[in-house]
PDB file of all heavy atoms in Angstrom:
ATOM      1  N   GLN A 228      47.315 -93.534 -19.046  1.00  0.00           N
ATOM      2  CA  GLN A 228      48.210 -92.420 -18.718  1.00  0.00           C
ATOM      3  C   GLN A 228      48.193 -92.171 -17.210  1.00  0.00           C
ATOM      4  O   GLN A 228      47.230 -92.501 -16.516  1.00  0.00           O
ATOM      5  CB  GLN A 228      47.765 -91.155 -19.451  1.00  0.00           C
ATOM      6  CG  GLN A 228      47.839 -91.236 -20.959  1.00  0.00           C
ATOM      7  CD  GLN A 228      47.210 -90.008 -21.611  1.00  0.00           C
ATOM      8  OE1 GLN A 228      46.138 -89.558 -21.207  1.00  0.00           O
ATOM      9  NE2 GLN A 228      47.898 -89.479 -22.607  1.00  0.00           N
ATOM     10  N   ILE A 229      49.238 -91.554 -16.750  1.00  0.00           N
ATOM     11  CA  ILE A 229      49.311 -91.142 -15.338  1.00  0.00           C
ATOM     12  C   ILE A 229      49.482 -89.627 -15.298  1.00  0.00           C
ATOM     13  O   ILE A 229      50.313 -89.060 -16.021  1.00  0.00           O
ATOM     14  CB  ILE A 229      50.487 -91.816 -14.597  1.00  0.00           C
ATOM     15  CG1 ILE A 229      50.246 -93.328 -14.482  1.00  0.00           C
ATOM     16  CG2 ILE A 229      50.669 -91.209 -13.203  1.00  0.00           C
ATOM     17  CD1 ILE A 229      51.380 -94.070 -13.770  1.00  0.00           C
ATOM     18  N   ILE A 230      48.690 -88.995 -14.465  1.00  0.00           N
ATOM     19  CA  ILE A 230      48.839 -87.557 -14.260  1.00  0.00           C
ATOM     20  C   ILE A 230      49.467 -87.348 -12.891  1.00  0.00           C
ATOM     21  O   ILE A 230      49.044 -87.949 -11.902  1.00  0.00           O
ATOM     22  CB  ILE A 230      47.481 -86.826 -14.372  1.00  0.00           C
ATOM     23  CG1 ILE A 230      47.680 -85.317 -14.185  1.00  0.00           C
ATOM     24  CG2 ILE A 230      46.456 -87.369 -13.397  1.00  0.00           C
ATOM     25  CD1 ILE A 230      46.441 -84.500 -14.511  1.00  0.00           C
ATOM     26  N   ALA A 231      50.491 -86.508 -12.852  1.00  0.00           N
ATOM     27  CA  ALA A 231      51.223 -86.265 -11.605  1.00  0.00           C
ATOM     28  C   ALA A 231      51.355 -84.772 -11.371  1.00  0.00           C
ATOM     29  O   ALA A 231      51.487 -83.983 -12.318  1.00  0.00           O
ATOM     30  CB  ALA A 231      52.603 -86.915 -11.660  1.00  0.00           C
ATOM     31  N   THR A 232      51.337 -84.402 -10.098  1.00  0.00           N
ATOM     32  CA  THR A 232      51.434 -82.987  -9.719  1.00  0.00           C
ATOM     33  C   THR A 232      52.834 -82.674  -9.203  1.00  0.00           C
ATOM     34  O   THR A 232      53.374 -83.411  -8.359  1.00  0.00           O
ATOM     35  CB  THR A 232      50.399 -82.648  -8.631  1.00  0.00           C
ATOM     36  OG1 THR A 232      49.092 -82.925  -9.130  1.00  0.00           O
ATOM     37  CG2 THR A 232      50.482 -81.187  -8.233  1.00  0.00           C
ATOM     38  N   PHE A 233      53.399 -81.560  -9.731  1.00  0.00           N
ATOM     39  CA  PHE A 233      54.736 -81.100  -9.325  1.00  0.00           C
ATOM     40  C   PHE A 233      54.591 -79.675  -8.787  1.00  0.00           C
ATOM     41  O   PHE A 233      54.729 -78.703  -9.545  1.00  0.00           O
ATOM     42  CB  PHE A 233      55.700 -81.128 -10.508  1.00  0.00           C
ATOM     43  CG  PHE A 233      55.975 -82.507 -11.046  1.00  0.00           C
ATOM     44  CD1 PHE A 233      55.111 -83.101 -11.956  1.00  0.00           C
ATOM     45  CD2 PHE A 233      57.102 -83.214 -10.655  1.00  0.00           C
ATOM     46  CE1 PHE A 233      55.358 -84.367 -12.464  1.00  0.00           C
ATOM     47  CE2 PHE A 233      57.357 -84.489 -11.151  1.00  0.00           C
ATOM     48  CZ  PHE A 233      56.480 -85.074 -12.051  1.00  0.00           C
ATOM     49  N   PRO A 234      54.329 -79.512  -7.500  1.00  0.00           N
ATOM     50  CA  PRO A 234      54.112 -78.180  -6.929  1.00  0.00           C
ATOM     51  C   PRO A 234      55.344 -77.284  -6.973  1.00  0.00           C
ATOM     52  O   PRO A 234      55.216 -76.050  -7.005  1.00  0.00           O
ATOM     53  CB  PRO A 234      53.695 -78.472  -5.481  1.00  0.00           C
ATOM     54  CG  PRO A 234      53.305 -79.915  -5.467  1.00  0.00           C
ATOM     55  CD  PRO A 234      54.151 -80.571  -6.493  1.00  0.00           C
ATOM     56  N   VAL A 235      56.533 -77.895  -6.951  1.00  0.00           N
ATOM     57  CA  VAL A 235      57.764 -77.100  -6.964  1.00  0.00           C
ATOM     58  C   VAL A 235      58.068 -76.718  -8.415  1.00  0.00           C
ATOM     59  O   VAL A 235      58.319 -77.587  -9.260  1.00  0.00           O
ATOM     60  CB  VAL A 235      58.940 -77.874  -6.351  1.00  0.00           C
ATOM     61  CG1 VAL A 235      60.205 -77.019  -6.366  1.00  0.00           C
ATOM     62  CG2 VAL A 235      58.599 -78.314  -4.936  1.00  0.00           C
ATOM     63  N   ALA A 236      58.042 -75.427  -8.702  1.00  0.00           N
ATOM     64  CA  ALA A 236      58.191 -74.951 -10.078  1.00  0.00           C
ATOM     65  C   ALA A 236      59.501 -75.410 -10.711  1.00  0.00           C
ATOM     66  O   ALA A 236      59.522 -75.818 -11.881  1.00  0.00           O
ATOM     67  CB  ALA A 236      58.090 -73.428 -10.116  1.00  0.00           C
ATOM     68  N   ASP A 237      60.598 -75.346  -9.963  1.00  0.00           N
ATOM     69  CA  ASP A 237      61.899 -75.745 -10.519  1.00  0.00           C
ATOM     70  C   ASP A 237      61.888 -77.218 -10.933  1.00  0.00           C
ATOM     71  O   ASP A 237      62.444 -77.585 -11.977  1.00  0.00           O
ATOM     72  CB  ASP A 237      63.010 -75.497  -9.500  1.00  0.00           C
ATOM     73  CG  ASP A 237      63.277 -74.015  -9.286  1.00  0.00           C
ATOM     74  OD1 ASP A 237      62.856 -73.220 -10.160  1.00  0.00           O
ATOM     75  OD2 ASP A 237      63.888 -73.655  -8.264  1.00  0.00           O
ATOM     76  N   GLU A 238      61.267 -78.070 -10.140  1.00  0.00           N
ATOM     77  CA  GLU A 238      61.202 -79.493 -10.465  1.00  0.00           C
ATOM     78  C   GLU A 238      60.302 -79.740 -11.676  1.00  0.00           C
ATOM     79  O   GLU A 238      60.609 -80.573 -12.533  1.00  0.00           O
ATOM     80  CB  GLU A 238      60.703 -80.281  -9.255  1.00  0.00           C
ATOM     81  CG  GLU A 238      61.680 -80.253  -8.083  1.00  0.00           C
ATOM     82  CD  GLU A 238      61.163 -80.971  -6.865  1.00  0.00           C
ATOM     83  OE1 GLU A 238      59.936 -81.230  -6.788  1.00  0.00           O
ATOM     84  OE2 GLU A 238      61.969 -81.290  -5.964  1.00  0.00           O
ATOM     85  N   LEU A 239      59.217 -79.001 -11.738  1.00  0.00           N
ATOM     86  CA  LEU A 239      58.317 -79.107 -12.892  1.00  0.00           C
ATOM     87  C   LEU A 239      59.052 -78.767 -14.186  1.00  0.00           C
ATOM     88  O   LEU A 239      58.999 -79.518 -15.176  1.00  0.00           O
ATOM     89  CB  LEU A 239      57.115 -78.168 -12.700  1.00  0.00           C
ATOM     90  CG  LEU A 239      56.175 -78.014 -13.912  1.00  0.00           C
ATOM     91  CD1 LEU A 239      55.323 -79.272 -14.055  1.00  0.00           C
ATOM     92  CD2 LEU A 239      55.281 -76.790 -13.739  1.00  0.00           C
ATOM     93  N   HIS A 240      59.756 -77.650 -14.192  1.00  0.00           N
ATOM     94  CA  HIS A 240      60.474 -77.215 -15.387  1.00  0.00           C
ATOM     95  C   HIS A 240      61.634 -78.163 -15.712  1.00  0.00           C
ATOM     96  O   HIS A 240      61.959 -78.372 -16.894  1.00  0.00           O
ATOM     97  CB  HIS A 240      60.991 -75.784 -15.187  1.00  0.00           C
ATOM     98  CG  HIS A 240      59.880 -74.786 -15.044  1.00  0.00           C
ATOM     99  ND1 HIS A 240      59.977 -73.669 -14.245  1.00  0.00           N
ATOM    100  CD2 HIS A 240      58.642 -74.750 -15.593  1.00  0.00           C
ATOM    101  CE1 HIS A 240      58.859 -72.979 -14.310  1.00  0.00           C
ATOM    102  NE2 HIS A 240      58.031 -73.615 -15.118  1.00  0.00           N
ATOM    103  N   MET A 241      62.237 -78.739 -14.684  1.00  0.00           N
ATOM    104  CA  MET A 241      63.324 -79.689 -14.920  1.00  0.00           C
ATOM    105  C   MET A 241      62.786 -80.920 -15.663  1.00  0.00           C
ATOM    106  O   MET A 241      63.416 -81.410 -16.613  1.00  0.00           O
ATOM    107  CB  MET A 241      63.943 -80.116 -13.583  1.00  0.00           C
ATOM    108  CG  MET A 241      65.049 -81.161 -13.727  1.00  0.00           C
ATOM    109  SD  MET A 241      65.793 -81.589 -12.125  1.00  0.00           S
ATOM    110  CE  MET A 241      64.359 -82.237 -11.249  1.00  0.00           C
ATOM    111  N   VAL A 242      61.637 -81.411 -15.244  1.00  0.00           N
ATOM    112  CA  VAL A 242      61.035 -82.573 -15.918  1.00  0.00           C
ATOM    113  C   VAL A 242      60.717 -82.229 -17.364  1.00  0.00           C
ATOM    114  O   VAL A 242      61.004 -83.015 -18.290  1.00  0.00           O
ATOM    115  CB  VAL A 242      59.762 -83.023 -15.174  1.00  0.00           C
ATOM    116  CG1 VAL A 242      59.035 -84.108 -15.968  1.00  0.00           C
ATOM    117  CG2 VAL A 242      60.110 -83.534 -13.784  1.00  0.00           C
ATOM    118  N   LEU A 243      60.138 -81.062 -17.596  1.00  0.00           N
ATOM    119  CA  LEU A 243      59.790 -80.663 -18.962  1.00  0.00           C
ATOM    120  C   LEU A 243      61.045 -80.486 -19.828  1.00  0.00           C
ATOM    121  O   LEU A 243      61.031 -80.834 -21.017  1.00  0.00           O
ATOM    122  CB  LEU A 243      58.972 -79.360 -18.932  1.00  0.00           C
ATOM    123  CG  LEU A 243      57.575 -79.463 -18.278  1.00  0.00           C
ATOM    124  CD1 LEU A 243      56.932 -78.088 -18.186  1.00  0.00           C
ATOM    125  CD2 LEU A 243      56.688 -80.411 -19.065  1.00  0.00           C
ATOM    126  N   ARG A 244      62.124 -79.958 -19.252  1.00  0.00           N
ATOM    127  CA  ARG A 244      63.366 -79.783 -20.012  1.00  0.00           C
ATOM    128  C   ARG A 244      63.950 -81.134 -20.435  1.00  0.00           C
ATOM    129  O   ARG A 244      64.516 -81.266 -21.512  1.00  0.00           O
ATOM    130  CB  ARG A 244      64.392 -79.006 -19.186  1.00  0.00           C
ATOM    131  CG  ARG A 244      64.125 -77.515 -19.091  1.00  0.00           C
ATOM    132  CD  ARG A 244      65.373 -76.774 -18.619  1.00  0.00           C
ATOM    133  NE  ARG A 244      65.908 -77.311 -17.375  1.00  0.00           N
ATOM    134  CZ  ARG A 244      65.533 -76.895 -16.157  1.00  0.00           C
ATOM    135  NH1 ARG A 244      64.602 -75.950 -16.043  1.00  0.00           N
ATOM    136  NH2 ARG A 244      66.081 -77.413 -15.082  1.00  0.00           N
ATOM    137  N   HIS A 245      63.803 -82.132 -19.593  1.00  0.00           N
ATOM    138  CA  HIS A 245      64.358 -83.452 -19.892  1.00  0.00           C
ATOM    139  C   HIS A 245      63.485 -84.263 -20.856  1.00  0.00           C
ATOM    140  O   HIS A 245      63.843 -85.391 -21.199  1.00  0.00           O
ATOM    141  CB  HIS A 245      64.560 -84.242 -18.591  1.00  0.00           C
ATOM    142  CG  HIS A 245      65.790 -83.859 -17.831  1.00  0.00           C
ATOM    143  ND1 HIS A 245      65.905 -82.670 -17.155  1.00  0.00           N
ATOM    144  CD2 HIS A 245      66.987 -84.509 -17.643  1.00  0.00           C
ATOM    145  CE1 HIS A 245      67.083 -82.593 -16.567  1.00  0.00           C
ATOM    146  NE2 HIS A 245      67.770 -83.698 -16.856  1.00  0.00           N
ATOM    147  N   SER A 246      62.360 -83.686 -21.288  1.00  0.00           N
ATOM    148  CA  SER A 246      61.475 -84.425 -22.192  1.00  0.00           C
ATOM    149  C   SER A 246      62.123 -84.701 -23.547  1.00  0.00           C
ATOM    150  O   SER A 246      61.677 -85.585 -24.284  1.00  0.00           O
ATOM    151  CB  SER A 246      60.166 -83.645 -22.407  1.00  0.00           C
ATOM    152  OG  SER A 246      60.420 -82.397 -23.047  1.00  0.00           O
ATOM    153  N   ASN A 247      63.222 -83.966 -23.872  1.00  0.00           N
ATOM    154  CA  ASN A 247      63.890 -84.217 -25.151  1.00  0.00           C
ATOM    155  C   ASN A 247      64.562 -85.597 -25.178  1.00  0.00           C
ATOM    156  O   ASN A 247      64.935 -86.096 -26.236  1.00  0.00           O
ATOM    157  CB  ASN A 247      64.910 -83.113 -25.448  1.00  0.00           C
ATOM    158  CG  ASN A 247      65.973 -82.974 -24.370  1.00  0.00           C
ATOM    159  OD1 ASN A 247      65.977 -83.718 -23.384  1.00  0.00           O
ATOM    160  ND2 ASN A 247      66.871 -82.021 -24.550  1.00  0.00           N
ATOM    161  N   ARG A 248      64.697 -86.222 -24.026  1.00  0.00           N
ATOM    162  CA  ARG A 248      65.289 -87.553 -23.965  1.00  0.00           C
ATOM    163  C   ARG A 248      64.295 -88.637 -24.435  1.00  0.00           C
ATOM    164  O   ARG A 248      64.657 -89.798 -24.531  1.00  0.00           O
ATOM    165  CB  ARG A 248      65.749 -87.858 -22.539  1.00  0.00           C
ATOM    166  CG  ARG A 248      66.833 -86.902 -22.033  1.00  0.00           C
ATOM    167  CD  ARG A 248      67.208 -87.211 -20.592  1.00  0.00           C
ATOM    168  NE  ARG A 248      68.190 -86.261 -20.079  1.00  0.00           N
ATOM    169  CZ  ARG A 248      69.511 -86.423 -20.187  1.00  0.00           C
ATOM    170  NH1 ARG A 248      70.002 -87.482 -20.804  1.00  0.00           N
ATOM    171  NH2 ARG A 248      70.334 -85.519 -19.695  1.00  0.00           N
ATOM    172  N   LEU A 249      63.073 -88.230 -24.714  1.00  0.00           N
ATOM    173  CA  LEU A 249      62.052 -89.195 -25.137  1.00  0.00           C
ATOM    174  C   LEU A 249      61.932 -89.291 -26.657  1.00  0.00           C
ATOM    175  O   LEU A 249      61.082 -90.030 -27.155  1.00  0.00           O
ATOM    176  CB  LEU A 249      60.681 -88.792 -24.550  1.00  0.00           C
ATOM    177  CG  LEU A 249      60.591 -88.693 -23.026  1.00  0.00           C
ATOM    178  CD1 LEU A 249      59.209 -88.219 -22.603  1.00  0.00           C
ATOM    179  CD2 LEU A 249      60.924 -90.030 -22.386  1.00  0.00           C
ATOM    180  N   ARG A 250      62.790 -88.581 -27.377  1.00  0.00           N
ATOM    181  CA  ARG A 250      62.662 -88.538 -28.831  1.00  0.00           C
ATOM    182  C   ARG A 250      62.810 -89.913 -29.476  1.00  0.00           C
ATOM    183  O   ARG A 250      62.166 -90.210 -30.472  1.00  0.00           O
ATOM    184  CB  ARG A 250      63.702 -87.587 -29.410  1.00  0.00           C
ATOM    185  CG  ARG A 250      63.425 -86.117 -29.069  1.00  0.00           C
ATOM    186  CD  ARG A 250      64.538 -85.227 -29.565  1.00  0.00           C
ATOM    187  NE  ARG A 250      64.310 -83.829 -29.203  1.00  0.00           N
ATOM    188  CZ  ARG A 250      65.197 -82.856 -29.402  1.00  0.00           C
ATOM    189  NH1 ARG A 250      66.390 -83.130 -29.942  1.00  0.00           N
ATOM    190  NH2 ARG A 250      64.910 -81.618 -29.041  1.00  0.00           N
ATOM    191  N   GLU A 251      63.649 -90.731 -28.944  1.00  0.00           N
ATOM    192  CA  GLU A 251      63.879 -92.057 -29.520  1.00  0.00           C
ATOM    193  C   GLU A 251      63.012 -93.127 -28.857  1.00  0.00           C
ATOM    194  O   GLU A 251      63.255 -94.319 -29.025  1.00  0.00           O
ATOM    195  CB  GLU A 251      65.369 -92.433 -29.362  1.00  0.00           C
ATOM    196  CG  GLU A 251      66.341 -91.440 -29.996  1.00  0.00           C
ATOM    197  CD  GLU A 251      66.110 -91.277 -31.495  1.00  0.00           C
ATOM    198  OE1 GLU A 251      65.738 -92.286 -32.143  1.00  0.00           O
ATOM    199  OE2 GLU A 251      66.282 -90.155 -32.001  1.00  0.00           O
ATOM    200  N   THR A 252      62.039 -92.717 -28.093  1.00  0.00           N
ATOM    201  CA  THR A 252      61.150 -93.669 -27.418  1.00  0.00           C
ATOM    202  C   THR A 252      59.705 -93.435 -27.855  1.00  0.00           C
ATOM    203  O   THR A 252      59.415 -92.514 -28.630  1.00  0.00           O
ATOM    204  CB  THR A 252      61.229 -93.516 -25.890  1.00  0.00           C
ATOM    205  OG1 THR A 252      60.555 -92.304 -25.502  1.00  0.00           O
ATOM    206  CG2 THR A 252      62.670 -93.459 -25.426  1.00  0.00           C
ATOM    207  N   LYS A 253      58.827 -94.262 -27.327  1.00  0.00           N
ATOM    208  CA  LYS A 253      57.394 -94.082 -27.569  1.00  0.00           C
ATOM    209  C   LYS A 253      56.688 -93.641 -26.296  1.00  0.00           C
ATOM    210  O   LYS A 253      55.481 -93.830 -26.140  1.00  0.00           O
ATOM    211  CB  LYS A 253      56.777 -95.377 -28.104  1.00  0.00           C
ATOM    212  CG  LYS A 253      57.257 -95.714 -29.519  1.00  0.00           C
ATOM    213  CD  LYS A 253      56.520 -96.922 -30.075  1.00  0.00           C
ATOM    214  CE  LYS A 253      56.982 -97.212 -31.508  1.00  0.00           C
ATOM    215  NZ  LYS A 253      56.282 -98.393 -32.086  1.00  0.00           N
ATOM    216  N   HIS A 254      57.495 -93.056 -25.403  1.00  0.00           N
ATOM    217  CA  HIS A 254      56.930 -92.430 -24.214  1.00  0.00           C
ATOM    218  C   HIS A 254      56.707 -90.944 -24.518  1.00  0.00           C
ATOM    219  O   HIS A 254      57.453 -90.340 -25.298  1.00  0.00           O
ATOM    220  CB  HIS A 254      57.892 -92.537 -23.021  1.00  0.00           C
ATOM    221  CG  HIS A 254      58.231 -93.949 -22.642  1.00  0.00           C
ATOM    222  ND1 HIS A 254      57.289 -94.891 -22.322  1.00  0.00           N
ATOM    223  CD2 HIS A 254      59.444 -94.563 -22.518  1.00  0.00           C
ATOM    224  CE1 HIS A 254      57.881 -96.020 -22.009  1.00  0.00           C
ATOM    225  NE2 HIS A 254      59.201 -95.864 -22.128  1.00  0.00           N
TER     226      HIS A 254
END
């Protein structure tokens, strides 16, 4: 696994919001 830091709150939340695109993957 890779752990990454996102200090900018808006960018952090944007990444988490886009996590629904992983439903058909094994990521």
Side-chain angles (χ1 to χ4, degrees):
Q228 296 173 316
I229 293 179
I230 181 170
T232 301
F233 295 84
V235 181
D237 290 342
E238 294 177 343
L239 172 75
H240 295 147
M241 177 178 61
V242 173
L243 294 174
R244 284 197 306 271
H245 281 72
S246 63
N247 58 1
R248 298 177 183 271
L249 302 177
R250 291 175 182 173
E251 303 301 325
T252 73
K253 291 186 178 180
H254 300 304

